[in-house]
Amino acid sequence: MASEIRSTNGSVGSSQAVMLLRHFAQGKRIDDLQALQLYGIRRLASRIHDLKRFGLKIDSEFHKYVSPEGIKKRFMLYSTDLKNEVNISIFKAQGIIE
């Protein structure tokens, strides 16, 4: 399996971006807290930006909730549609899926 990804112009993405690709390839969504707990990714929005720069189509959903202390909170939840032809070609080209 690949430990980095390459765009068509040859620029290289991080191993964190590869971990996210594999996460998305399993049909899972992810938020900041999950990214930190599962993969040690502290700046998820930056890694999502990197993947978008490589051509991946990623959806973002804004979620709001109230904490047990009554504090209003919000977070972004990211996902991708594996049926999207662009995404499938990127996953295949990077050796993430066959």
Side-chain angles (χ1 to χ4, degrees):
M1 288 279 177
S3 63
E4 61 184 29
I5 58 176
R6 292 190 177 272
S7 69
T8 53
N9 70 6
S11 59
V12 178
S14 70
S15 60
Q16 288 183 340
V18 171
M19 287 187 276
L20 285 174
L21 274 176
R22 290 183 182 142
H23 184 89
F24 288 137
Q26 295 172 16
K28 298 178 182 177
R29 303 184 306 174
I30 196 163
D31 63 34
D32 284 322
L33 186 57
Q34 290 172 321
L36 180 59
Q37 291 173 337
L38 295 173
Y39 308 114
I41 298 172
R42 298 183 69 132
R43 297 181 61 222
L44 178 60
S46 294
R47 298 299 70 82
I48 294 296
H49 176 76
D50 293 344
L51 290 175
K52 286 181 176 180
R53 200 180 69 220
F54 281 91
L56 196 69
K57 305 295 183 195
I58 298 177
D59 299 318
S60 342
E61 297 174 34
F62 220 7
H63 288 264
K64 297 179 183 181
Y65 71 99
V66 179
S67 72
E69 297 82 21
I71 301 170
K72 292 180 182 178
K73 306 258 183 177
R74 57 188 184 163
F75 66 95
M76 194 68 73
L77 186 62
Y78 299 98
S79 62
T80 188
D81 179 7
L82 290 178
K83 295 176 184 168
N84 179 304
E85 290 179 24
V86 172
N87 290 347
I88 290 172
S89 65
I90 291 171
F91 284 130
K92 284 182 177 179
Q94 300 302 331
I96 307 300
I97 60 175
E98 294 181 7

